[in-house]
Amino acid sequence: MPTVAARRISSLEATNHEIHEQLESLLETGKRNEEKLHWLTHCLLRLMDAMNPYELDAVLGEELTSREDIDNVCFLLTEGEVNPDLHYIRPMEQLGETEHRIKGLKAATCETFRGTEYEQLFGCEIYDSASVAMIPISTDGLSGVLAIGSTNPLRFTLGMGTMLLEFFGQVLGRVAGRILNAP
């Protein structure tokens, strides 16, 4: 029969192991957050350096689709002329039935889309459901939605935090307003 001291040592070893696992988990989370912050900083600086619609379009495509599990992006404008040569910046009126789902958003949200809705939004055919993060953009004279899509239906979920998406949207709105509303 184990002694009281042996049971305490065993209990302390188990507690120590649990604390070690929690610490490793916290360190891993911190590392992922640091990588996200580094990417976000780099991306926002590139956005702020954009001087014309072509550069803005390129930054959106290059930076966002370079992220893991992000397959598509589009910045849909509800008003104003959109240059047809741009790939990622498009008028919202081209959406068809999906327009009602994203027009009038007041806050960033993450949702699952059926394959047909995803295809209307991004112009690429998929056969399963997918996930989309949608960020409303509204500044003086400019409004629209930035849609970030993933063919992984679990990448952007309804319960996902949107604080960084909202921040990204605020910066994008200011930069896009400066560039797209320029005379």
Side-chain angles (χ1 to χ4, degrees), residues 106-175:
K106 300 295 182 211
T109 186
C110 300
E111 296 183 24
T112 302
F113 273 53
R114 293 187 318 258
T116 55
E117 294 172 315
Y118 193 88
E119 183 179 353
Q120 286 177 350
L121 188 58
F122 296 109
C124 62
E125 188 173 344
I126 65 167
Y127 301 101
D128 206 356
S129 60
S131 59
V132 178
M134 297 173 289
I135 309 161
I137 309 294
S138 182
T139 61
D140 293 333
L142 177 79
S143 66
V145 173
L146 176 67
I148 305 169
S150 175
T151 55
N152 175 356
L154 301 176
R155 174 64 170 95
F156 300 111
T157 60
L158 193 57
M160 184 177 182
T162 59
M163 181 181 71
L164 288 179
L165 294 173
E166 293 279 353
F167 176 66
F168 187 87
Q170 290 174 1
V171 174
L172 174 59
R174 289 184 178 154
V175 170

Side-chain angles (χ1 to χ4, degrees), residues 1 13 19-20 27 41 43 59 71-72 77 82 88-93 102 110 116 119 125-126 130 139 176 181:
M1 184 169 245
E13 287 174 342
I19 291 171
H20 181 70
L27 289 172
T41 302
C43 183
V59 170
D71 302 302
N72 298 284
L77 299 176
V82 177
Y88 301 100
I89 302 172
R90 303 192 308 251
M92 190 175 294
E93 62 203 29
I102 64 172
C110 300
T116 55
E119 183 179 353
E125 188 173 344
I126 65 167
T139 61
N181 289 332

Side-chain angles (χ1 to χ4, degrees), residues 38-74:
H38 176 73
W39 170 82
L40 181 63
T41 302
H42 172 77
C43 183
L44 292 177
L45 290 173
R46 280 202 61 205
L47 268 178
M48 289 189 281
D49 286 343
M51 299 304 288
N52 60 55
Y54 297 102
E55 290 177 8
L56 178 61
D57 193 63
V59 170
L60 288 174
E62 292 167 7
E63 291 298 329
L64 294 175
T65 59
S66 71
R67 298 290 297 164
E68 184 178 336
D69 271 350
I70 294 179
D71 302 302
N72 298 284
V73 63
C74 60

